[in-house]
Amino acid sequence: MRSYHQYCALAKALDVVGDRWTMLIIRELLLRGPSRYTDLRDGLPGIATNLLAERLRELEEAGVVAREDAPPPVATTLYRLTPRGEQLRSALYELGRWGAPFMTEDAEGDTFRSHWLTFPAEALLTDHAPDQPAVTIEVRTDAAPVVLETSGGGVRFRPGAAERPDAVLTGPPRLVLGALVGMLDLEEARERGLQYEGDPAVLARVRPG
Amino acid sequence: MRSYHQYCALAKALDVVGDRWTMLIIRELLLRGPSRYTDLRDGLPGIATNLLAERLRELEEAGVVAREDAPPPVATTLYRLTPRGEQLRSALYELGRWGAPFMTEDAEGDTFRSHWLTFPAEALLTDHAPDQPAVTIEVRTDAAPVVLETSGGGVRFRPGAAERPDAVLTGPPRLVLGALVGMLDLEEARERGLQYEGDPAVLARVRPG
DNA sequence: CAGCATCCGCTTTGATACTG
DNA sequence: CAGTATCAAAGCGGATGCTG
């Protein structure tokens, strides 16, 4: 394990999670929960498979990740964060919050996974009517569908489709995100190719500002 | 510039500040303020000089760091964080907070600079008697002396010596930090080689818990 | 198929030497 | 002081192969 050999808390943290890909592996485990090797690889487009294996081993040695054998029906190895690993959540969120402004730049050619929306969206969106019944918005991009749900004054994401969504957003990631966080107003996003089904008030309820 | 090419806020942040040494350069600029090249190098023991130059150039292009010509008496180039760079403070603090527990492990052979104490200390120490007059504790290790000062319910650090410190801590970094944050009680730290001059109540005033 | 290990060409890093 | 130049070693990305 390469180390900075500096008696500094930040340097010690980076000794463990500062290598290339490591933070993104933590992201996957934080957002998806316990995951199989193959699911991690799917959530980390571009990673070399040997690197993923190596990083997981290092993180296990460092006490950040634990591997466990899944119960009978699945019968595969699962990787999960330890409590120590869970504690990286706020650091990771702060970094994600810092990076959120870059999401407005051109993203042509970038890979995308639906659950990555979690970062800018849960950081920026609020439920302006927390006393009303919860609403759900289904988000469809070329990646897997996710459902946004108002919860506790904010919003949460979960994978999958909604039974009876209050609104449905369909389009490329940038337009979907732009419409959600209010970078684009709904009309402009529609002109650029976003599809929106449902009452615009549903969207307005969660937009910041 | 190497990129993950993922449309994800965290990945975008890491595209900019995820390379080796980059976060530590930000640390130096956050803790020391505008700095000369040589001072940065001194605060980053182990960095190759070409890497420091390259990283500074990249950070400048990314709008995180700005270079400026210092006024006449100094007449040298200064590097400083832009407002965008300053916004990395909370992310950096969260990472440092996560790394703080590693400071209890053996640090034999690690390099040390006094201002690095800032991370664990400002995160953990509180002033239990904010209504009393402020106290100062001078910290002397083999690195440059620093002064801890109670301020606004917490503590702050500044480089240099104190005129009339209320207490003086002298010894290796681990013992100094251990005594400050309460990992070691004062007697035990003394047995291991820490020197403490002053009223123990001064130390007790800032210790957590 | 899931979960790696091995090999290979390329890039990045670290150490040192040198310059305006 | 503030870097640039050089070069060996390590790390990375991509492809492929092996094992339950």
Side-chain angles (χ1 to χ4, degrees):
Chain A
M1 171 187 122
R2 189 167 53 171
S3 166
Y4 288 110
H5 292 295
Q6 296 185 356
Y7 190 62
C8 161
L10 177 68
K12 293 298 177 193
L14 292 174
D15 281 347
V16 176
V17 298
D19 278 347
R20 190 160 169 78
W21 289 107
T22 301
M23 278 292 215
L24 297 184
I25 295 174
I26 311 278
R27 172 196 72 190
E28 289 301 307
L29 291 170
L30 272 176
L31 299 185
R32 303 168 74 124
S35 309
R36 294 182 302 174
Y37 186 88
T38 314
D39 295 331
L40 288 177
R41 203 173 41 186
D42 173 72
L44 296 163
I47 198 172
T49 171
N50 58 340
L51 256 196
L52 177 54
E54 190 180 326
R55 293 283 184 268
L56 285 171
R57 204 179 322 118
E58 292 165 352
L59 287 171
E60 196 184 349
E61 282 172 33
V64 173
V65 162
R67 63 171 74 204
E68 78 187 44
D69 295 328
V74 202
T76 181
T77 312
L78 287 184
Y79 296 88
R80 65 158 69 241
L81 291 175
T82 63
R84 180 81 176 122
E86 277 282 347
Q87 288 170 4
L88 279 162
R89 182 181 296 272
S90 45
L92 227 128
Y93 273 42
E94 284 301 325
L95 258 180
R97 184 191 304 272
W98 187 82
F102 294 123
M103 302 294 275
T104 64
E105 295 174 10
D106 188 26
E108 207 55 43
D110 275 12
T111 56
F112 177 68
R113 299 292 182 273
S114 311
H115 60 283
W116 297 346
L117 276 180
T118 302
F119 277 99
E122 292 193 355
L124 295 172
L125 302 189
T126 50
D127 182 5
H128 296 123
D131 301 331
Q132 302 290 108
V135 293
T136 58
I137 305 179
E138 187 170 319
V139 175
R140 299 178 188 157
T141 61
D142 39 352
V146 283
V147 177
L148 177 160
E149 195 163 14
T150 58
S151 160
V155 308
R156 297 288 230 121
F157 277 94
R158 56 180 175 79
E163 324 76 65
R164 212 173 298 154
D166 299 285
V168 178
L169 273 171
T170 310
R174 276 188 66 198
L175 291 181
V176 167
L177 183 62
L180 276 174
V181 304
M183 282 154 23
L184 297 170
D185 71 35
L186 197 48
E187 274 321 302
E188 193 177 347
R190 267 179 166 143
E191 279 164 25
R192 299 207 203 165
L194 184 81
Q195 294 172 52
Y196 183 84
E197 304 166 35
D199 185 348
V202 173
L203 186 57
R205 176 166 159 182
V206 297
R207 279 174 130 173
Chain B
M1 171 186 122
R2 188 166 54 170
S3 167
Y4 288 109
H5 293 297
Q6 296 184 356
Y7 190 63
C8 160
L10 177 68
K12 293 298 175 193
L14 292 174
D15 281 347
V16 176
V17 297
D19 279 347
R20 190 160 170 77
W21 290 107
T22 301
M23 278 292 215
L24 296 184
I25 295 173
I26 312 279
R27 172 196 72 190
E28 288 302 306
L29 291 171
L30 272 175
L31 299 185
R32 303 169 74 125
S35 309
R36 295 180 305 175
Y37 186 89
T38 313
D39 295 331
L40 288 177
R41 203 173 41 186
D42 172 72
L44 297 162
I47 197 172
T49 174
N50 57 342
L51 256 197
L52 177 54
E54 189 180 327
R55 293 285 183 267
L56 285 170
R57 204 180 323 115
E58 291 165 354
L59 287 171
E60 195 183 350
E61 282 172 32
V64 173
V65 162
R67 63 169 77 204
E68 78 188 44
D69 294 329
V74 203
T76 181
T77 312
L78 287 183
Y79 294 90
R80 64 160 68 242
L81 291 174
T82 63
R84 180 80 175 123
E86 278 282 348
Q87 288 170 4
L88 279 163
R89 183 180 294 273
S90 44
L92 228 127
Y93 273 43
E94 285 299 325
L95 257 181
R97 184 190 304 271
W98 186 83
F102 295 123
M103 303 295 274
T104 64
E105 296 174 8
D106 188 26
E108 208 55 43
D110 276 12
T111 55
F112 177 69
R113 298 293 182 272
S114 312
H115 60 284
W116 297 346
L117 276 179
T118 303
F119 277 99
E122 293 193 354
L124 296 171
L125 302 189
T126 50
D127 182 5
H128 296 123
D131 301 331
Q132 302 291 109
V135 292
T136 58
I137 305 179
E138 186 170 318
V139 175
R140 298 179 189 157
T141 61
D142 41 350
V146 284
V147 178
L148 177 160
E149 195 163 13
T150 58
S151 162
V155 308
R156 294 291 228 121
F157 278 93
R158 56 180 176 78
E163 324 77 64
R164 211 174 298 152
D166 299 285
V168 179
L169 272 171
T170 310
R174 276 188 66 199
L175 291 181
V176 167
L177 184 62
L180 277 175
V181 303
M183 281 154 24
L184 296 170
D185 71 35
L186 196 49
E187 274 320 301
E188 192 177 347
R190 266 179 166 145
E191 279 164 26
R192 298 206 203 167
L194 184 81
Q195 293 172 51
Y196 183 83
E197 304 166 35
D199 185 347
V202 173
L203 186 57
R205 176 167 161 182
V206 298
R207 278 174 130 175

